[in-house]
Amino acid sequence: RQIYEQLREIINKWVSRKITIIESLKLLNQLMIQLEDYERRTAAQPPSTRIAYALSDYISRNYLGGKNVGLRLQNAREVIDKVSEEVSTYGILSQSDVREIKKAVLMDIFRELGNILSESTKRELSMSMDRLFDDLIRPYIENYVKMKRVQRT
């Protein structure tokens, strides 16, 4: 999502003539390198690990000025793995599963970064958890479920 937002920003700057075509191509190249690096780091990992990387990158870029935080999200990973397996078996991601994942993710983030994040940042993260779930967590779980279904056939 962040890469797509950066892409839109580059396009808008280029369209409004704030940057030249050469500058925009350099920025696009940097985005491609970021995307390839992210895909290389996360390609063969379970959804919980990919989600931990995605959330870590998101928080690092949006709240900590790019400082690498390397979230472990141990409890959240266990919940995500359990729910992912259940969804791949039964085919339903229930609202209680969603709430359980969101709660585990927030608790792990606050436990791991509680002394780094301000209270306003914690509130902002709490309020944006629905969007984070839909943008960062749900897609990984859905892709995992699709992959498991293909493996069964």
Side-chain angles (χ1 to χ4, degrees), residues 2-16 18-19 24 27-28 31:
Q2 289 177 323
I3 290 175
Y4 293 122
E5 288 174 3
Q6 291 174 10
L7 176 60
R8 271 186 268 157
E9 184 179 322
I10 291 169
I11 291 170
N12 288 337
K13 284 181 179 179
W14 181 72
V15 167
S16 64
K18 293 181 180 175
I19 58 175
S24 61
L27 292 171
L28 287 173
L31 279 180

mmCIF file with all atom_site columns, all heavy atoms in Angstrom, residues 2-16 18-19 24 27-28 31:
data_model
loop_
_atom_site.group_PDB
_atom_site.id
_atom_site.type_symbol
_atom_site.label_atom_id
_atom_site.label_alt_id
_atom_site.label_comp_id
_atom_site.label_asym_id
_atom_site.label_entity_id
_atom_site.label_seq_id
_atom_site.pdbx_PDB_ins_code
_atom_site.Cartn_x
_atom_site.Cartn_y
_atom_site.Cartn_z
_atom_site.occupancy
_atom_site.B_iso_or_equiv
_atom_site.pdbx_formal_charge
_atom_site.auth_seq_id
_atom_site.auth_comp_id
_atom_site.auth_asym_id
_atom_site.auth_atom_id
_atom_site.pdbx_PDB_model_num
ATOM 1   N N   . GLN A 1 2  ? 1.911  1.243  0.836   1.00 0.00 ? 2  GLN A N   1
ATOM 2   C CA  . GLN A 1 2  ? 2.780  2.415  0.904   1.00 0.00 ? 2  GLN A CA  1
ATOM 3   C C   . GLN A 1 2  ? 3.462  2.681  -0.427  1.00 0.00 ? 2  GLN A C   1
ATOM 4   O O   . GLN A 1 2  ? 3.599  3.827  -0.839  1.00 0.00 ? 2  GLN A O   1
ATOM 5   C CB  . GLN A 1 2  ? 3.834  2.222  1.979   1.00 0.00 ? 2  GLN A CB  1
ATOM 6   C CG  . GLN A 1 2  ? 3.280  2.281  3.363   1.00 0.00 ? 2  GLN A CG  1
ATOM 7   C CD  . GLN A 1 2  ? 4.358  2.001  4.387   1.00 0.00 ? 2  GLN A CD  1
ATOM 8   O OE1 . GLN A 1 2  ? 5.218  1.166  4.154   1.00 0.00 ? 2  GLN A OE1 1
ATOM 9   N NE2 . GLN A 1 2  ? 4.301  2.692  5.496   1.00 0.00 ? 2  GLN A NE2 1
ATOM 10  N N   . ILE A 1 3  ? 3.869  1.627  -1.078  1.00 0.00 ? 3  ILE A N   1
ATOM 11  C CA  . ILE A 1 3  ? 4.532  1.792  -2.369  1.00 0.00 ? 3  ILE A CA  1
ATOM 12  C C   . ILE A 1 3  ? 3.560  2.382  -3.386  1.00 0.00 ? 3  ILE A C   1
ATOM 13  O O   . ILE A 1 3  ? 3.918  3.264  -4.157  1.00 0.00 ? 3  ILE A O   1
ATOM 14  C CB  . ILE A 1 3  ? 5.148  0.456  -2.841  1.00 0.00 ? 3  ILE A CB  1
ATOM 15  C CG1 . ILE A 1 3  ? 6.335  0.119  -1.941  1.00 0.00 ? 3  ILE A CG1 1
ATOM 16  C CG2 . ILE A 1 3  ? 5.571  0.528  -4.303  1.00 0.00 ? 3  ILE A CG2 1
ATOM 17  C CD1 . ILE A 1 3  ? 6.977  -1.213 -2.182  1.00 0.00 ? 3  ILE A CD1 1
ATOM 18  N N   . TYR A 1 4  ? 2.308  1.928  -3.344  1.00 0.00 ? 4  TYR A N   1
ATOM 19  C CA  . TYR A 1 4  ? 1.307  2.487  -4.256  1.00 0.00 ? 4  TYR A CA  1
ATOM 20  C C   . TYR A 1 4  ? 1.024  3.951  -3.940  1.00 0.00 ? 4  TYR A C   1
ATOM 21  O O   . TYR A 1 4  ? 0.836  4.762  -4.854  1.00 0.00 ? 4  TYR A O   1
ATOM 22  C CB  . TYR A 1 4  ? 0.022  1.665  -4.211  1.00 0.00 ? 4  TYR A CB  1
ATOM 23  C CG  . TYR A 1 4  ? 0.194  0.288  -4.772  1.00 0.00 ? 4  TYR A CG  1
ATOM 24  C CD1 . TYR A 1 4  ? -0.072 -0.829 -4.013  1.00 0.00 ? 4  TYR A CD1 1
ATOM 25  C CD2 . TYR A 1 4  ? 0.650  0.095  -6.077  1.00 0.00 ? 4  TYR A CD2 1
ATOM 26  C CE1 . TYR A 1 4  ? 0.102  -2.110 -4.523  1.00 0.00 ? 4  TYR A CE1 1
ATOM 27  C CE2 . TYR A 1 4  ? 0.840  -1.167 -6.596  1.00 0.00 ? 4  TYR A CE2 1
ATOM 28  C CZ  . TYR A 1 4  ? 0.560  -2.265 -5.809  1.00 0.00 ? 4  TYR A CZ  1
ATOM 29  O OH  . TYR A 1 4  ? 0.748  -3.521 -6.310  1.00 0.00 ? 4  TYR A OH  1
ATOM 30  N N   . GLU A 1 5  ? 1.016  4.313  -2.671  1.00 0.00 ? 5  GLU A N   1
ATOM 31  C CA  . GLU A 1 5  ? 0.834  5.716  -2.302  1.00 0.00 ? 5  GLU A CA  1
ATOM 32  C C   . GLU A 1 5  ? 2.001  6.555  -2.787  1.00 0.00 ? 5  GLU A C   1
ATOM 33  O O   . GLU A 1 5  ? 1.814  7.663  -3.295  1.00 0.00 ? 5  GLU A O   1
ATOM 34  C CB  . GLU A 1 5  ? 0.671  5.848  -0.787  1.00 0.00 ? 5  GLU A CB  1
ATOM 35  C CG  . GLU A 1 5  ? -0.659 5.326  -0.291  1.00 0.00 ? 5  GLU A CG  1
ATOM 36  C CD  . GLU A 1 5  ? -0.768 5.314  1.236   1.00 0.00 ? 5  GLU A CD  1
ATOM 37  O OE1 . GLU A 1 5  ? 0.188  5.765  1.914   1.00 0.00 ? 5  GLU A OE1 1
ATOM 38  O OE2 . GLU A 1 5  ? -1.807 4.857  1.725   1.00 0.00 ? 5  GLU A OE2 1
ATOM 39  N N   . GLN A 1 6  ? 3.205  6.032  -2.647  1.00 0.00 ? 6  GLN A N   1
ATOM 40  C CA  . GLN A 1 6  ? 4.377  6.746  -3.139  1.00 0.00 ? 6  GLN A CA  1
ATOM 41  C C   . GLN A 1 6  ? 4.326  6.879  -4.658  1.00 0.00 ? 6  GLN A C   1
ATOM 42  O O   . GLN A 1 6  ? 4.707  7.917  -5.210  1.00 0.00 ? 6  GLN A O   1
ATOM 43  C CB  . GLN A 1 6  ? 5.655  6.036  -2.702  1.00 0.00 ? 6  GLN A CB  1
ATOM 44  C CG  . GLN A 1 6  ? 5.920  6.121  -1.225  1.00 0.00 ? 6  GLN A CG  1
ATOM 45  C CD  . GLN A 1 6  ? 7.127  5.280  -0.794  1.00 0.00 ? 6  GLN A CD  1
ATOM 46  O OE1 . GLN A 1 6  ? 7.877  4.767  -1.621  1.00 0.00 ? 6  GLN A OE1 1
ATOM 47  N NE2 . GLN A 1 6  ? 7.312  5.145  0.502   1.00 0.00 ? 6  GLN A NE2 1
ATOM 48  N N   . LEU A 1 7  ? 3.851  5.833  -5.325  1.00 0.00 ? 7  LEU A N   1
ATOM 49  C CA  . LEU A 1 7  ? 3.707  5.885  -6.777  1.00 0.00 ? 7  LEU A CA  1
ATOM 50  C C   . LEU A 1 7  ? 2.729  6.982  -7.186  1.00 0.00 ? 7  LEU A C   1
ATOM 51  O O   . LEU A 1 7  ? 3.005  7.774  -8.095  1.00 0.00 ? 7  LEU A O   1
ATOM 52  C CB  . LEU A 1 7  ? 3.242  4.523  -7.311  1.00 0.00 ? 7  LEU A CB  1
ATOM 53  C CG  . LEU A 1 7  ? 2.959  4.433  -8.805  1.00 0.00 ? 7  LEU A CG  1
ATOM 54  C CD1 . LEU A 1 7  ? 4.211  4.756  -9.614  1.00 0.00 ? 7  LEU A CD1 1
ATOM 55  C CD2 . LEU A 1 7  ? 2.439  3.049  -9.152  1.00 0.00 ? 7  LEU A CD2 1
ATOM 56  N N   . ARG A 1 8  ? 1.572  7.059  -6.512  1.00 0.00 ? 8  ARG A N   1
ATOM 57  C CA  . ARG A 1 8  ? 0.598  8.117  -6.812  1.00 0.00 ? 8  ARG A CA  1
ATOM 58  C C   . ARG A 1 8  ? 1.208  9.493  -6.581  1.00 0.00 ? 8  ARG A C   1
ATOM 59  O O   . ARG A 1 8  ? 0.969  10.415 -7.360  1.00 0.00 ? 8  ARG A O   1
ATOM 60  C CB  . ARG A 1 8  ? -0.644 7.948  -5.942  1.00 0.00 ? 8  ARG A CB  1
ATOM 61  C CG  . ARG A 1 8  ? -1.677 7.057  -6.597  1.00 0.00 ? 8  ARG A CG  1
ATOM 62  C CD  . ARG A 1 8  ? -2.927 7.025  -5.793  1.00 0.00 ? 8  ARG A CD  1
ATOM 63  N NE  . ARG A 1 8  ? -2.721 5.868  -4.918  1.00 0.00 ? 8  ARG A NE  1
ATOM 64  C CZ  . ARG A 1 8  ? -3.294 5.654  -3.782  1.00 0.00 ? 8  ARG A CZ  1
ATOM 65  N NH1 . ARG A 1 8  ? -4.148 6.505  -3.317  1.00 0.00 ? 8  ARG A NH1 1
ATOM 66  N NH2 . ARG A 1 8  ? -3.044 4.582  -3.074  1.00 0.00 ? 8  ARG A NH2 1
ATOM 67  N N   . GLU A 1 9  ? 2.005  9.630  -5.525  1.00 0.00 ? 9  GLU A N   1
ATOM 68  C CA  . GLU A 1 9  ? 2.637  10.910 -5.232  1.00 0.00 ? 9  GLU A CA  1
ATOM 69  C C   . GLU A 1 9  ? 3.605  11.297 -6.349  1.00 0.00 ? 9  GLU A C   1
ATOM 70  O O   . GLU A 1 9  ? 3.638  12.454 -6.786  1.00 0.00 ? 9  GLU A O   1
ATOM 71  C CB  . GLU A 1 9  ? 3.370  10.824 -3.894  1.00 0.00 ? 9  GLU A CB  1
ATOM 72  C CG  . GLU A 1 9  ? 3.972  12.123 -3.436  1.00 0.00 ? 9  GLU A CG  1
ATOM 73  C CD  . GLU A 1 9  ? 4.655  11.983 -2.092  1.00 0.00 ? 9  GLU A CD  1
ATOM 74  O OE1 . GLU A 1 9  ? 4.139  11.249 -1.222  1.00 0.00 ? 9  GLU A OE1 1
ATOM 75  O OE2 . GLU A 1 9  ? 5.711  12.616 -1.923  1.00 0.00 ? 9  GLU A OE2 1
ATOM 76  N N   . ILE A 1 10 ? 4.391  10.344 -6.820  1.00 0.00 ? 10 ILE A N   1
ATOM 77  C CA  . ILE A 1 10 ? 5.329  10.618 -7.928  1.00 0.00 ? 10 ILE A CA  1
ATOM 78  C C   . ILE A 1 10 ? 4.555  11.047 -9.174  1.00 0.00 ? 10 ILE A C   1
ATOM 79  O O   . ILE A 1 10 ? 4.916  12.020 -9.841  1.00 0.00 ? 10 ILE A O   1
ATOM 80  C CB  . ILE A 1 10 ? 6.201  9.380  -8.219  1.00 0.00 ? 10 ILE A CB  1
ATOM 81  C CG1 . ILE A 1 10 ? 7.168  9.134  -7.065  1.00 0.00 ? 10 ILE A CG1 1
ATOM 82  C CG2 . ILE A 1 10 ? 6.979  9.563  -9.532  1.00 0.00 ? 10 ILE A CG2 1
ATOM 83  C CD1 . ILE A 1 10 ? 7.886  7.801  -7.131  1.00 0.00 ? 10 ILE A CD1 1
ATOM 84  N N   . ILE A 1 11 ? 3.492  10.327 -9.481  1.00 0.00 ? 11 ILE A N   1
ATOM 85  C CA  . ILE A 1 11 ? 2.686  10.664 -10.667 1.00 0.00 ? 11 ILE A CA  1
ATOM 86  C C   . ILE A 1 11 ? 2.102  12.063 -10.530 1.00 0.00 ? 11 ILE A C   1
ATOM 87  O O   . ILE A 1 11 ? 2.144  12.863 -11.480 1.00 0.00 ? 11 ILE A O   1
ATOM 88  C CB  . ILE A 1 11 ? 1.588  9.605  -10.887 1.00 0.00 ? 11 ILE A CB  1
ATOM 89  C CG1 . ILE A 1 11 ? 2.222  8.286  -11.320 1.00 0.00 ? 11 ILE A CG1 1
ATOM 90  C CG2 . ILE A 1 11 ? 0.569  10.095 -11.922 1.00 0.00 ? 11 ILE A CG2 1
ATOM 91  C CD1 . ILE A 1 11 ? 1.278  7.107  -11.327 1.00 0.00 ? 11 ILE A CD1 1
ATOM 92  N N   . ASN A 1 12 ? 1.553  12.371 -9.351  1.00 0.00 ? 12 ASN A N   1
ATOM 93  C CA  . ASN A 1 12 ? 0.973  13.704 -9.141  1.00 0.00 ? 12 ASN A CA  1
ATOM 94  C C   . ASN A 1 12 ? 2.020  14.801 -9.274  1.00 0.00 ? 12 ASN A C   1
ATOM 95  O O   . ASN A 1 12 ? 1.746  15.849 -9.858  1.00 0.00 ? 12 ASN A O   1
ATOM 96  C CB  . ASN A 1 12 ? 0.298  13.784 -7.772  1.00 0.00 ? 12 ASN A CB  1
ATOM 97  C CG  . ASN A 1 12 ? -0.985 12.995 -7.722  1.00 0.00 ? 12 ASN A CG  1
ATOM 98  O OD1 . ASN A 1 12 ? -1.607 12.722 -8.739  1.00 0.00 ? 12 ASN A OD1 1
ATOM 99  N ND2 . ASN A 1 12 ? -1.380 12.604 -6.517  1.00 0.00 ? 12 ASN A ND2 1
ATOM 100 N N   . LYS A 1 13 ? 3.213  14.566 -8.740  1.00 0.00 ? 13 LYS A N   1
ATOM 101 C CA  . LYS A 1 13 ? 4.283  15.557 -8.866  1.00 0.00 ? 13 LYS A CA  1
ATOM 102 C C   . LYS A 1 13 ? 4.690  15.743 -10.321 1.00 0.00 ? 13 LYS A C   1
ATOM 103 O O   . LYS A 1 13 ? 4.941  16.864 -10.762 1.00 0.00 ? 13 LYS A O   1
ATOM 104 C CB  . LYS A 1 13 ? 5.500  15.146 -8.029  1.00 0.00 ? 13 LYS A CB  1
ATOM 105 C CG  . LYS A 1 13 ? 5.333  15.370 -6.559  1.00 0.00 ? 13 LYS A CG  1
ATOM 106 C CD  . LYS A 1 13 ? 6.593  14.969 -5.813  1.00 0.00 ? 13 LYS A CD  1
ATOM 107 C CE  . LYS A 1 13 ? 6.454  15.202 -4.329  1.00 0.00 ? 13 LYS A CE  1
ATOM 108 N NZ  . LYS A 1 13 ? 7.676  14.793 -3.611  1.00 0.00 ? 13 LYS A NZ  1
ATOM 109 N N   . TRP A 1 14 ? 4.737  14.630 -11.044 1.00 0.00 ? 14 TRP A N   1
ATOM 110 C CA  . TRP A 1 14 ? 5.133  14.725 -12.449 1.00 0.00 ? 14 TRP A CA  1
ATOM 111 C C   . TRP A 1 14 ? 4.057  15.434 -13.268 1.00 0.00 ? 14 TRP A C   1
ATOM 112 O O   . TRP A 1 14 ? 4.355  16.306 -14.075 1.00 0.00 ? 14 TRP A O   1
ATOM 113 C CB  . TRP A 1 14 ? 5.413  13.339 -13.021 1.00 0.00 ? 14 TRP A CB  1
ATOM 114 C CG  . TRP A 1 14 ? 5.852  13.404 -14.454 1.00 0.00 ? 14 TRP A CG  1
ATOM 115 C CD1 . TRP A 1 14 ? 7.044  13.854 -14.929 1.00 0.00 ? 14 TRP A CD1 1
ATOM 116 C CD2 . TRP A 1 14 ? 5.076  13.051 -15.592 1.00 0.00 ? 14 TRP A CD2 1
ATOM 117 N NE1 . TRP A 1 14 ? 7.071  13.786 -16.292 1.00 0.00 ? 14 TRP A NE1 1
ATOM 118 C CE2 . TRP A 1 14 ? 5.874  13.299 -16.725 1.00 0.00 ? 14 TRP A CE2 1
ATOM 119 C CE3 . TRP A 1 14 ? 3.798  12.545 -15.769 1.00 0.00 ? 14 TRP A CE3 1
ATOM 120 C CZ2 . TRP A 1 14 ? 5.412  13.063 -18.015 1.00 0.00 ? 14 TRP A CZ2 1
ATOM 121 C CZ3 . TRP A 1 14 ? 3.350  12.311 -17.043 1.00 0.00 ? 14 TRP A CZ3 1
ATOM 122 C CH2 . TRP A 1 14 ? 4.153  12.566 -18.152 1.00 0.00 ? 14 TRP A CH2 1
ATOM 123 N N   . VAL A 1 15 ? 2.795  15.078 -13.026 1.00 0.00 ? 15 VAL A N   1
ATOM 124 C CA  . VAL A 1 15 ? 1.695  15.701 -13.765 1.00 0.00 ? 15 VAL A CA  1
ATOM 125 C C   . VAL A 1 15 ? 1.637  17.197 -13.480 1.00 0.00 ? 15 VAL A C   1
ATOM 126 O O   . VAL A 1 15 ? 1.389  18.000 -14.381 1.00 0.00 ? 15 VAL A O   1
ATOM 127 C CB  . VAL A 1 15 ? 0.348  15.016 -13.413 1.00 0.00 ? 15 VAL A CB  1
ATOM 128 C CG1 . VAL A 1 15 ? -0.832 15.815 -13.905 1.00 0.00 ? 15 VAL A CG1 1
ATOM 129 C CG2 . VAL A 1 15 ? 0.318  13.615 -13.996 1.00 0.00 ? 15 VAL A CG2 1
ATOM 130 N N   . SER A 1 16 ? 1.869  17.585 -12.242 1.00 0.00 ? 16 SER A N   1
ATOM 131 C CA  . SER A 1 16 ? 1.822  19.010 -11.894 1.00 0.00 ? 16 SER A CA  1
ATOM 132 C C   . SER A 1 16 ? 3.151  19.717 -12.174 1.00 0.00 ? 16 SER A C   1
ATOM 133 O O   . SER A 1 16 ? 3.318  20.876 -11.818 1.00 0.00 ? 16 SER A O   1
ATOM 134 C CB  . SER A 1 16 ? 1.430  19.178 -10.433 1.00 0.00 ? 16 SER A CB  1
ATOM 135 O OG  . SER A 1 16 ? 2.411  18.614 -9.596  1.00 0.00 ? 16 SER A OG  1
ATOM 136 N N   . LYS A 1 18 ? 6.106  19.342 -10.933 1.00 0.00 ? 18 LYS A N   1
ATOM 137 C CA  . LYS A 1 18 ? 6.979  19.642 -9.803  1.00 0.00 ? 18 LYS A CA  1
ATOM 138 C C   . LYS A 1 18 ? 8.302  18.892 -9.907  1.00 0.00 ? 18 LYS A C   1
ATOM 139 O O   . LYS A 1 18 ? 9.273  19.254 -9.257  1.00 0.00 ? 18 LYS A O   1
ATOM 140 C CB  . LYS A 1 18 ? 6.283  19.315 -8.485  1.00 0.00 ? 18 LYS A CB  1
ATOM 141 C CG  . LYS A 1 18 ? 5.108  20.230 -8.209  1.00 0.00 ? 18 LYS A CG  1
ATOM 142 C CD  . LYS A 1 18 ? 4.453  19.913 -6.903  1.00 0.00 ? 18 LYS A CD  1
ATOM 143 C CE  . LYS A 1 18 ? 3.279  20.845 -6.676  1.00 0.00 ? 18 LYS A CE  1
ATOM 144 N NZ  . LYS A 1 18 ? 2.530  20.517 -5.479  1.00 0.00 ? 18 LYS A NZ  1
ATOM 145 N N   . ILE A 1 19 ? 8.311  17.810 -10.701 1.00 0.00 ? 19 ILE A N   1
ATOM 146 C CA  . ILE A 1 19 ? 9.552  17.077 -10.951 1.00 0.00 ? 19 ILE A CA  1
ATOM 147 C C   . ILE A 1 19 ? 9.635  16.773 -12.441 1.00 0.00 ? 19 ILE A C   1
ATOM 148 O O   . ILE A 1 19 ? 8.622  16.685 -13.130 1.00 0.00 ? 19 ILE A O   1
ATOM 149 C CB  . ILE A 1 19 ? 9.647  15.762 -10.134 1.00 0.00 ? 19 ILE A CB  1
ATOM 150 C CG1 . ILE A 1 19 ? 8.476  14.825 -10.441 1.00 0.00 ? 19 ILE A CG1 1
ATOM 151 C CG2 . ILE A 1 19 ? 9.736  16.054 -8.656  1.00 0.00 ? 19 ILE A CG2 1
ATOM 152 C CD1 . ILE A 1 19 ? 8.575  13.467 -9.766  1.00 0.00 ? 19 ILE A CD1 1
ATOM 153 N N   . SER A 1 24 ? 11.380 11.660 -11.992 1.00 0.00 ? 24 SER A N   1
ATOM 154 C CA  . SER A 1 24 ? 10.291 10.703 -11.726 1.00 0.00 ? 24 SER A CA  1
ATOM 155 C C   . SER A 1 24 ? 10.739 9.280  -12.052 1.00 0.00 ? 24 SER A C   1
ATOM 156 O O   . SER A 1 24 ? 10.400 8.340  -11.322 1.00 0.00 ? 24 SER A O   1
ATOM 157 C CB  . SER A 1 24 ? 9.024  11.074 -12.493 1.00 0.00 ? 24 SER A CB  1
ATOM 158 O OG  . SER A 1 24 ? 9.240  11.058 -13.873 1.00 0.00 ? 24 SER A OG  1
ATOM 159 N N   . LEU A 1 27 ? 12.858 8.050  -9.175  1.00 0.00 ? 27 LEU A N   1
ATOM 160 C CA  . LEU A 1 27 ? 12.012 7.703  -8.029  1.00 0.00 ? 27 LEU A CA  1
ATOM 161 C C   . LEU A 1 27 ? 11.266 6.396  -8.271  1.00 0.00 ? 27 LEU A C   1
ATOM 162 O O   . LEU A 1 27 ? 11.121 5.573  -7.361  1.00 0.00 ? 27 LEU A O   1
ATOM 163 C CB  . LEU A 1 27 ? 11.034 8.839  -7.728  1.00 0.00 ? 27 LEU A CB  1
ATOM 164 C CG  . LEU A 1 27 ? 11.660 10.131 -7.201  1.00 0.00 ? 27 LEU A CG  1
ATOM 165 C CD1 . LEU A 1 27 ? 10.626 11.250 -7.142  1.00 0.00 ? 27 LEU A CD1 1
ATOM 166 C CD2 . LEU A 1 27 ? 12.289 9.901  -5.840  1.00 0.00 ? 27 LEU A CD2 1
ATOM 167 N N   . LEU A 1 28 ? 10.788 6.199  -9.501  1.00 0.00 ? 28 LEU A N   1
ATOM 168 C CA  . LEU A 1 28 ? 10.104 4.946  -9.832  1.00 0.00 ? 28 LEU A CA  1
ATOM 169 C C   . LEU A 1 28 ? 11.058 3.761  -9.713  1.00 0.00 ? 28 LEU A C   1
ATOM 170 O O   . LEU A 1 28 ? 10.665 2.689  -9.235  1.00 0.00 ? 28 LEU A O   1
ATOM 171 C CB  . LEU A 1 28 ? 9.521  5.010  -11.248 1.00 0.00 ? 28 LEU A CB  1
ATOM 172 C CG  . LEU A 1 28 ? 8.299  5.903  -11.416 1.00 0.00 ? 28 LEU A CG  1
ATOM 173 C CD1 . LEU A 1 28 ? 7.936  6.015  -12.888 1.00 0.00 ? 28 LEU A CD1 1
ATOM 174 C CD2 . LEU A 1 28 ? 7.135  5.387  -10.607 1.00 0.00 ? 28 LEU A CD2 1
ATOM 175 N N   . LEU A 1 31 ? 11.385 2.868  -6.134  1.00 0.00 ? 31 LEU A N   1
ATOM 176 C CA  . LEU A 1 31 ? 10.198 2.133  -5.686  1.00 0.00 ? 31 LEU A CA  1
ATOM 177 C C   . LEU A 1 31 ? 10.248 0.676  -6.120  1.00 0.00 ? 31 LEU A C   1
ATOM 178 O O   . LEU A 1 31 ? 9.880  -0.225 -5.355  1.00 0.00 ? 31 LEU A O   1
ATOM 179 C CB  . LEU A 1 31 ? 8.920  2.775  -6.231  1.00 0.00 ? 31 LEU A CB  1
ATOM 180 C CG  . LEU A 1 31 ? 8.390  3.990  -5.497  1.00 0.00 ? 31 LEU A CG  1
ATOM 181 C CD1 . LEU A 1 31 ? 7.120  4.499  -6.168  1.00 0.00 ? 31 LEU A CD1 1
ATOM 182 C CD2 . LEU A 1 31 ? 8.127  3.684  -4.047  1.00 0.00 ? 31 LEU A CD2 1
#
